[in-house]
């Protein structure tokens, strides 16, 4: 089926719907990935925090955790920072933290 045949089959209403959906998809793609904590930037590199988990935990507690929902606890264990997040907020809060910090620094646990 060629493009002209497709347009004839769906008609004008189908073409309008197709264009509207295309615009909505483009809008979602452009706005997705917005900054979860506006203006925040990690003050140190991941390599530094890998050697100083206590400072990573302090940075998160001071500047990040209170701006996210569902953070229940954090503690250092086996060279990683364990972050306990409620089940309801797990995916969103985990993604927000990983936007600013390297995944290798963390272990995330549902609480």
């Amino acid at each position: 089926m060629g493009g002209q045949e497709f347009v004839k089959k769906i008609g004008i209403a189908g073409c309008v719907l197709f264009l509207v959906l295309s615009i909505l998809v483009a809008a979602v793609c452009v706005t997705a990935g917005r900054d979860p904590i506006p203006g925040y930037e990690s003050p140190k590199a991941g390599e530094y925090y890998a050697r100083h988990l206590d400072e990573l935990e302090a940075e998160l507690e001071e500047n990040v955790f209170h701006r996210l929902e569902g953070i229940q606890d954090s503690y250092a264990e086996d060279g990683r920072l364990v972050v306990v997040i409620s089940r309801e907020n797990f995916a969103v809060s985990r993604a927000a933290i990983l936007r600013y910090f390297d995944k290798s620094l963390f272990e995330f646990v549902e609480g």
Side-chain angles (χ1 to χ4, degrees), residues 7-85:
V7 170
K8 286 179 185 177
K9 283 191 176 201
I10 65 171
I12 291 179
C15 288
V16 170
L17 180 62
F18 184 79
L19 288 173
V20 168
L21 289 175
S22 297
I23 291 169
L24 288 174
V25 167
V28 167
C29 289
V30 168
T31 60
R34 289 180 292 161
D35 198 2
I37 304 173
Y40 180 77
E41 290 183 25
S42 175
K44 306 233 176 13
E47 298 83 28
Y48 177 84
Y49 283 131
R51 295 186 308 271
H52 301 93
L53 287 178
D54 57 327
E55 290 186 36
L56 172 61
E57 184 175 17
E59 172 63 23
L60 291 169
E61 288 178 356
E62 188 174 317
N63 296 311
V64 176
F65 287 164
H66 69 279
R67 298 168 106 179
L68 301 175
E69 293 187 26
I71 305 296
Q72 297 176 342
D73 193 14
S74 66
Y75 53 90
E77 181 178 271
D78 297 328
R80 298 173 85 185
L81 188 65
V82 177
V83 180
V84 182
I85 306 171

Side-chain angles (χ1 to χ4, degrees), residues 56 60 65 68 71 73-75 80-85 89-99 101-111:
L56 172 61
L60 291 169
F65 287 164
L68 301 175
I71 305 296
D73 193 14
S74 66
Y75 53 90
R80 298 173 85 185
L81 188 65
V82 177
V83 180
V84 182
I85 306 171
N89 304 103
F90 187 82
V92 172
S93 293
R94 179 183 181 275
I97 292 168
L98 293 179
R99 182 169 177 101
F101 299 95
D102 188 76
K103 182 180 179 180
S104 66
L105 299 171
F106 297 97
E107 180 178 337
F108 295 96
V109 177
E110 285 187 14

